[in-house]
Amino acid sequence: MKKTMMRTALAGAILTSALVGQSGNATAAAATATPTVKPAATTAPIMRDNLFKFGLKKAVELPVTVTAGGFSYTLEKIMIYDVKSATAQTLIKKYGYTGTDSAKYFIWTKITVENKSGNTVQKNYKDLNEKWELNFGGETSAYVTMPLTTVDVPHYKPNNKEALWSWSLKAGEKLSTYQAYLYDGKFNSFVIWLDNKNVSTEKYVAKNPKE
């Protein structure tokens, strides 16, 4: 009987020792193991233009800012579409853009304009002069197309943040919005022209190496 008890106690001691050893080995392995580091998620770059599709090689990256007489125009994004493309037609129908039937290209821009001139700067019935133009080296510049006013969606309202037409900025005011253009010419280059209070400046953005 005593021998049986001794054998049982001895077996238990051996089993306990083995378990303790396994636990110690596992703890040591965990302490020395190299932690697995997950690669940081990469954010896809923002597509600010598709000028390359029209043979234009950029000299500067967007956003591009042009300033004249204390008034600045920043081109945040520009996308050029065939006027009959699905994307262009969606925007045309959504905002009721006019004069698109005879155009070749529909140009969609995201812009920010800021007035630090000390005087009101505007483009409306009080001042019909365009303050900026987009020129692609053709015979004419791209021309702004007007979004229509509807009962439900008054896109024609001043300082519209979705589809710009008329606008007015007092000193210190800033506006971020979207503006559409139509264009029928060639893409030889891309220059932004800005004029305010008889002060003019331009910014060369891109050119076509083949031209």
Side-chain angles (χ1 to χ4, degrees):
M1 183 66 177
K2 290 182 179 180
K3 290 182 179 182
T4 301
M5 292 176 63
M6 289 179 64
R7 290 172 183 169
T8 302
L10 181 59
I14 293 173
L15 178 59
T16 300
S17 177
L19 291 174
V20 170
Q22 290 177 1
S23 176
N25 292 337
T27 302
T32 58
T34 302
T36 302
V37 179
K38 294 183 179 180
T42 55
T43 303
I46 298 174
M47 186 174 183
R48 294 185 179 275
D49 67 85
N50 64 346
L51 298 173
F52 65 94
K53 289 187 176 181
F54 299 87
L56 294 173
K57 183 178 180 180
K58 286 178 291 183
V60 293
E61 293 293 334
L62 272 59
V64 172
T65 299
V66 189
T67 301
F71 180 75
S72 69
Y73 168 94
T74 300
L75 180 64
E76 308 277 356
K77 182 177 180 179
I78 178 169
M79 301 299 290
I80 304 170
Y81 304 104
D82 184 295
V83 75
K84 295 181 180 179
S85 68
T87 301
Q89 287 299 311
T90 296
L91 291 168
I92 290 169
K93 292 175 182 177
K94 180 177 180 179
Y95 297 112
Y97 284 114
T98 59
T100 61
D101 292 341
S102 58
K104 186 174 182 180
Y105 300 106
F106 179 85
I107 302 174
W108 185 242
T109 65
K110 180 180 180 181
I111 66 173
T112 296
V113 286
E114 186 172 7
N115 181 16
K116 295 182 179 180
S117 68
N119 301 300
T120 297
V121 182
Q122 56 196 344
K123 197 280 179 180
N124 49 30
Y125 69 95
K126 295 180 180 180
D127 185 349
L128 299 176
N129 296 317
E130 296 288 354
K131 300 300 181 292
W132 59 82
E133 290 183 6
L134 305 184
N135 189 287
F136 295 96
E139 295 182 359
T140 59
S141 297
Y143 50 100
V144 178
T145 176
M146 182 179 73
L148 289 177
T149 301
T150 65
V151 176
D152 299 324
V153 187
H155 297 307
Y156 187 68
K157 66 181 181 181
N159 291 16
N160 194 315
K161 294 183 179 181
E162 292 185 40
L164 186 66
W165 179 242
S166 68
W167 56 273
S168 178
L169 294 180
K170 296 179 181 179
E173 289 187 331
K174 185 177 182 180
L175 172 67
S176 292
T177 182
Y178 296 83
Q179 187 174 37
Y181 292 81
L182 299 176
Y183 185 61
D184 300 312
K186 296 181 179 180
F187 294 95
N188 300 323
S189 60
F190 178 30
V191 175
I192 301 172
W193 172 85
L194 186 68
D195 179 84
N196 179 46
K197 306 299 181 182
N198 296 319
V199 178
S200 299
T201 187
E202 61 183 31
K203 182 71 174 181
Y204 170 82
V205 180
K207 70 174 182 179
N208 189 330
K210 296 181 180 179
E211 298 297 333

mmCIF file of all heavy atoms in Angstrom, residues 138-161:
data_model
loop_
_atom_site.group_PDB
_atom_site.id
_atom_site.type_symbol
_atom_site.label_atom_id
_atom_site.label_comp_id
_atom_site.label_asym_id
_atom_site.label_seq_id
_atom_site.Cartn_x
_atom_site.Cartn_y
_atom_site.Cartn_z
ATOM 1 N N GLY A 138 -5.187 76.501 -77.931
ATOM 2 C CA GLY A 138 -5.975 76.497 -79.151
ATOM 3 C C GLY A 138 -6.285 77.921 -79.585
ATOM 4 O O GLY A 138 -5.769 78.897 -79.029
ATOM 5 N N GLU A 139 -7.143 78.069 -80.564
ATOM 6 C CA GLU A 139 -7.484 79.397 -81.062
ATOM 7 C C GLU A 139 -8.320 80.170 -80.039
ATOM 8 O O GLU A 139 -8.280 81.399 -80.006
ATOM 9 C CB GLU A 139 -8.239 79.271 -82.385
ATOM 10 C CG GLU A 139 -7.396 78.679 -83.516
ATOM 11 C CD GLU A 139 -8.149 78.603 -84.812
ATOM 12 O OE1 GLU A 139 -9.347 78.988 -84.838
ATOM 13 O OE2 GLU A 139 -7.570 78.151 -85.818
ATOM 14 N N THR A 140 -9.063 79.466 -79.213
ATOM 15 C CA THR A 140 -9.885 80.107 -78.186
ATOM 16 C C THR A 140 -9.695 79.390 -76.849
ATOM 17 O O THR A 140 -9.246 78.242 -76.809
ATOM 18 C CB THR A 140 -11.387 80.058 -78.557
ATOM 19 O OG1 THR A 140 -11.790 78.691 -78.708
ATOM 20 C CG2 THR A 140 -11.646 80.811 -79.858
ATOM 21 N N SER A 141 -10.032 80.093 -75.775
ATOM 22 C CA SER A 141 -9.969 79.482 -74.450
ATOM 23 C C SER A 141 -11.202 78.618 -74.219
ATOM 24 O O SER A 141 -12.200 78.709 -74.947
ATOM 25 C CB SER A 141 -9.900 80.579 -73.378
ATOM 26 O OG SER A 141 -8.736 81.351 -73.514
ATOM 27 N N ALA A 142 -11.129 77.764 -73.208
ATOM 28 C CA ALA A 142 -12.317 77.024 -72.802
ATOM 29 C C ALA A 142 -13.329 78.044 -72.280
ATOM 30 O O ALA A 142 -12.959 79.055 -71.695
ATOM 31 C CB ALA A 142 -11.958 76.025 -71.719
ATOM 32 N N TYR A 143 -14.608 77.795 -72.515
ATOM 33 C CA TYR A 143 -15.614 78.772 -72.107
ATOM 34 C C TYR A 143 -16.552 78.171 -71.064
ATOM 35 O O TYR A 143 -16.911 77.001 -71.108
ATOM 36 C CB TYR A 143 -16.398 79.311 -73.299
ATOM 37 C CG TYR A 143 -16.973 78.264 -74.234
ATOM 38 C CD1 TYR A 143 -18.303 77.883 -74.164
ATOM 39 C CD2 TYR A 143 -16.159 77.668 -75.203
ATOM 40 C CE1 TYR A 143 -18.825 76.934 -75.032
ATOM 41 C CE2 TYR A 143 -16.662 76.720 -76.077
ATOM 42 C CZ TYR A 143 -18.005 76.361 -75.985
ATOM 43 O OH TYR A 143 -18.511 75.411 -76.829
ATOM 44 N N VAL A 144 -16.927 79.020 -70.105
ATOM 45 C CA VAL A 144 -17.763 78.589 -68.993
ATOM 46 C C VAL A 144 -19.171 78.288 -69.481
ATOM 47 O O VAL A 144 -19.736 79.021 -70.289
ATOM 48 C CB VAL A 144 -17.820 79.675 -67.906
ATOM 49 C CG1 VAL A 144 -18.724 79.240 -66.767
ATOM 50 C CG2 VAL A 144 -16.427 79.981 -67.380
ATOM 51 N N THR A 145 -19.757 77.208 -68.979
ATOM 52 C CA THR A 145 -21.134 76.880 -69.300
ATOM 53 C C THR A 145 -22.008 77.108 -68.077
ATOM 54 O O THR A 145 -21.571 76.895 -66.944
ATOM 55 C CB THR A 145 -21.264 75.415 -69.780
ATOM 56 O OG1 THR A 145 -22.647 75.104 -69.991
ATOM 57 C CG2 THR A 145 -20.691 74.433 -68.780
ATOM 58 N N MET A 146 -23.228 77.569 -68.315
ATOM 59 C CA MET A 146 -24.098 77.987 -67.226
ATOM 60 C C MET A 146 -25.013 76.867 -66.740
ATOM 61 O O MET A 146 -25.680 76.225 -67.541
ATOM 62 C CB MET A 146 -24.970 79.159 -67.680
ATOM 63 C CG MET A 146 -25.887 79.698 -66.592
ATOM 64 S SD MET A 146 -26.891 81.098 -67.164
ATOM 65 C CE MET A 146 -28.061 80.263 -68.237
ATOM 66 N N PRO A 147 -25.060 76.620 -65.434
ATOM 67 C CA PRO A 147 -26.038 75.677 -64.887
ATOM 68 C C PRO A 147 -27.401 76.355 -64.801
ATOM 69 O O PRO A 147 -27.500 77.530 -64.458
ATOM 70 C CB PRO A 147 -25.486 75.367 -63.489
ATOM 71 C CG PRO A 147 -24.730 76.598 -63.121
ATOM 72 C CD PRO A 147 -24.170 77.150 -64.400
ATOM 73 N N LEU A 148 -28.442 75.649 -65.146
ATOM 74 C CA LEU A 148 -29.788 76.227 -65.154
ATOM 75 C C LEU A 148 -30.397 76.285 -63.761
ATOM 76 O O LEU A 148 -30.072 75.491 -62.882
ATOM 77 C CB LEU A 148 -30.713 75.416 -66.058
ATOM 78 C CG LEU A 148 -30.476 75.516 -67.570
ATOM 79 C CD1 LEU A 148 -31.440 74.579 -68.280
ATOM 80 C CD2 LEU A 148 -30.677 76.946 -68.053
ATOM 81 N N THR A 149 -31.345 77.220 -63.598
ATOM 82 C CA THR A 149 -32.125 77.297 -62.376
ATOM 83 C C THR A 149 -33.367 76.441 -62.550
ATOM 84 O O THR A 149 -34.036 76.503 -63.572
ATOM 85 C CB THR A 149 -32.561 78.753 -62.102
ATOM 86 O OG1 THR A 149 -31.406 79.557 -61.986
ATOM 87 C CG2 THR A 149 -33.364 78.856 -60.827
ATOM 88 N N THR A 150 -33.664 75.622 -61.561
ATOM 89 C CA THR A 150 -34.907 74.860 -61.566
ATOM 90 C C THR A 150 -35.645 75.135 -60.267
ATOM 91 O O THR A 150 -35.102 75.706 -59.336
ATOM 92 C CB THR A 150 -34.645 73.341 -61.684
ATOM 93 O OG1 THR A 150 -33.952 72.912 -60.513
ATOM 94 C CG2 THR A 150 -33.802 73.031 -62.907
ATOM 95 N N VAL A 151 -36.888 74.735 -60.213
ATOM 96 C CA VAL A 151 -37.686 74.973 -59.020
ATOM 97 C C VAL A 151 -37.100 74.237 -57.825
ATOM 98 O O VAL A 151 -37.005 74.767 -56.718
ATOM 99 C CB VAL A 151 -39.147 74.526 -59.245
ATOM 100 C CG1 VAL A 151 -39.951 74.687 -57.951
ATOM 101 C CG2 VAL A 151 -39.786 75.343 -60.357
ATOM 102 N N ASP A 152 -36.675 73.011 -58.035
ATOM 103 C CA ASP A 152 -36.179 72.186 -56.932
ATOM 104 C C ASP A 152 -34.698 72.410 -56.632
ATOM 105 O O ASP A 152 -34.269 72.299 -55.489
ATOM 106 C CB ASP A 152 -36.414 70.697 -57.240
ATOM 107 C CG ASP A 152 -37.889 70.379 -57.401
ATOM 108 O OD1 ASP A 152 -38.693 70.993 -56.679
ATOM 109 O OD2 ASP A 152 -38.228 69.545 -58.236
ATOM 110 N N VAL A 153 -33.916 72.679 -57.670
ATOM 111 C CA VAL A 153 -32.472 72.823 -57.490
ATOM 112 C C VAL A 153 -32.020 74.144 -58.112
ATOM 113 O O VAL A 153 -31.753 74.214 -59.307
ATOM 114 C CB VAL A 153 -31.709 71.648 -58.131
ATOM 115 C CG1 VAL A 153 -30.238 71.726 -57.790
ATOM 116 C CG2 VAL A 153 -32.302 70.318 -57.696
ATOM 117 N N PRO A 154 -31.926 75.207 -57.310
ATOM 118 C CA PRO A 154 -31.541 76.518 -57.855
ATOM 119 C C PRO A 154 -30.029 76.638 -58.063
ATOM 120 O O PRO A 154 -29.328 77.306 -57.312
ATOM 121 C CB PRO A 154 -32.026 77.480 -56.771
ATOM 122 C CG PRO A 154 -31.910 76.694 -55.503
ATOM 123 C CD PRO A 154 -32.232 75.265 -55.883
ATOM 124 N N HIS A 155 -29.497 75.986 -59.101
ATOM 125 C CA HIS A 155 -28.055 75.983 -59.328
ATOM 126 C C HIS A 155 -27.544 77.361 -59.743
ATOM 127 O O HIS A 155 -26.344 77.613 -59.678
ATOM 128 C CB HIS A 155 -27.688 74.958 -60.401
ATOM 129 C CG HIS A 155 -28.010 73.560 -59.997
ATOM 130 N ND1 HIS A 155 -27.565 73.005 -58.820
ATOM 131 C CD2 HIS A 155 -28.747 72.606 -60.606
ATOM 132 C CE1 HIS A 155 -28.012 71.756 -58.719
ATOM 133 N NE2 HIS A 155 -28.723 71.499 -59.791
ATOM 134 N N TYR A 156 -28.424 78.241 -60.166
ATOM 135 C CA TYR A 156 -28.013 79.537 -60.645
ATOM 136 C C TYR A 156 -27.735 80.525 -59.508
ATOM 137 O O TYR A 156 -27.273 81.631 -59.737
ATOM 138 C CB TYR A 156 -29.103 80.095 -61.574
ATOM 139 C CG TYR A 156 -28.727 81.363 -62.284
ATOM 140 C CD1 TYR A 156 -27.739 81.376 -63.270
ATOM 141 C CD2 TYR A 156 -29.356 82.554 -61.975
ATOM 142 C CE1 TYR A 156 -27.405 82.544 -63.927
ATOM 143 C CE2 TYR A 156 -29.025 83.740 -62.625
ATOM 144 C CZ TYR A 156 -28.052 83.730 -63.601
ATOM 145 O OH TYR A 156 -27.717 84.894 -64.243
ATOM 146 N N LYS A 157 -27.993 80.131 -58.286
ATOM 147 C CA LYS A 157 -27.814 81.047 -57.158
ATOM 148 C C LYS A 157 -26.357 81.467 -57.036
ATOM 149 O O LYS A 157 -25.438 80.697 -57.329
ATOM 150 C CB LYS A 157 -28.284 80.385 -55.866
ATOM 151 C CG LYS A 157 -27.453 79.188 -55.422
ATOM 152 C CD LYS A 157 -28.023 78.578 -54.142
ATOM 153 C CE LYS A 157 -27.162 77.390 -53.686
ATOM 154 N NZ LYS A 157 -27.709 76.769 -52.464
ATOM 155 N N PRO A 158 -26.097 82.710 -56.586
ATOM 156 C CA PRO A 158 -24.722 83.201 -56.458
ATOM 157 C C PRO A 158 -23.901 82.364 -55.470
ATOM 158 O O PRO A 158 -24.439 81.801 -54.519
ATOM 159 C CB PRO A 158 -24.921 84.629 -55.929
ATOM 160 C CG PRO A 158 -26.310 85.007 -56.342
ATOM 161 C CD PRO A 158 -27.099 83.734 -56.264
ATOM 162 N N ASN A 159 -22.608 82.294 -55.737
ATOM 163 C CA ASN A 159 -21.663 81.588 -54.856
ATOM 164 C C ASN A 159 -22.069 80.136 -54.598
ATOM 165 O O ASN A 159 -21.858 79.606 -53.502
ATOM 166 C CB ASN A 159 -21.512 82.325 -53.527
ATOM 167 C CG ASN A 159 -20.795 83.657 -53.672
ATOM 168 O OD1 ASN A 159 -20.655 84.184 -54.767
ATOM 169 N ND2 ASN A 159 -20.349 84.208 -52.567
ATOM 170 N N ASN A 160 -22.639 79.504 -55.609
ATOM 171 C CA ASN A 160 -23.044 78.111 -55.480
ATOM 172 C C ASN A 160 -21.813 77.233 -55.270
ATOM 173 O O ASN A 160 -20.849 77.307 -56.030
ATOM 174 C CB ASN A 160 -23.792 77.664 -56.745
ATOM 175 C CG ASN A 160 -24.533 76.362 -56.549
ATOM 176 O OD1 ASN A 160 -23.997 75.421 -55.981
ATOM 177 N ND2 ASN A 160 -25.760 76.312 -57.018
ATOM 178 N N LYS A 161 -21.831 76.393 -54.256
ATOM 179 C CA LYS A 161 -20.680 75.546 -53.933
ATOM 180 C C LYS A 161 -20.662 74.234 -54.710
ATOM 181 O O LYS A 161 -19.724 73.451 -54.597
ATOM 182 C CB LYS A 161 -20.658 75.257 -52.430
ATOM 183 C CG LYS A 161 -20.404 76.504 -51.585
ATOM 184 C CD LYS A 161 -20.315 76.162 -50.113
ATOM 185 C CE LYS A 161 -20.027 77.414 -49.295
ATOM 186 N NZ LYS A 161 -19.907 77.110 -47.833
#
